[in-house]
Amino acid sequence: VTNGKGKGIVVETGMHTRIGRIAQLIAGGDGGQAKTKCGCLPDTSANATPLQVSLEALGARIGMVAIFVCVLIFIIGVVLGRGDPSLPPNSCDTKCTVLYMILIA
């Protein structure tokens, strides 16, 4: 809308709106000492919005899927005896296959 007139009905204000609820989630803390995460970084999870919590969970899932795919590729390559294609045939032993599959995975 670029111009004109309109009327509105206010149904909630301040902290009773959705923005206000998000502000309460961010501001609400335990008031105690700052907790640490991983030993050196402050734990800010108490101040996380629902979107941040969801994104963190999604990132963890994507990371686990990526690790699973890498391990699966490694196992399949070792079982099939895939070696470096630039080497002559039958010149690659188990050690060579494992190192090559680590590189591929």
Side-chain angles (χ1 to χ4, degrees):
V1 177
T2 57
N3 63 19
K5 295 182 180 181
K7 291 185 180 183
I9 299 173
V10 177
V11 293
E12 291 183 345
T13 60
M15 296 304 274
H16 299 290
T17 63
R18 289 184 186 240
I19 300 296
R21 289 186 193 121
I22 292 173
Q24 284 177 340
L25 287 173
I26 293 173
D30 61 355
Q33 286 188 338
K35 299 175 186 173
T36 58
K37 187 175 189 177
C38 300
C40 60
L41 298 174
D43 183 13
T44 58
S45 62
N47 297 338
T49 63
L51 176 62
Q52 290 171 325
V53 171
S54 296
L55 287 175
E56 186 173 342
L58 177 64
R61 284 186 194 144
I62 290 173
M64 294 303 288
V65 167
I67 290 171
F68 174 75
V69 168
C70 288
V71 168
L72 185 67
I73 289 172
F74 174 79
I75 291 171
I76 290 172
V78 169
V79 167
L80 295 177
R82 301 289 181 189
D84 190 352
S86 65
L87 295 176
N90 300 326
S91 67
C92 197
D93 60 351
T94 304
K95 180 180 174 184
C96 175
T97 300
V98 169
L99 290 175
Y100 182 70
M101 288 315 300
I102 288 173
L103 175 71
I104 295 299

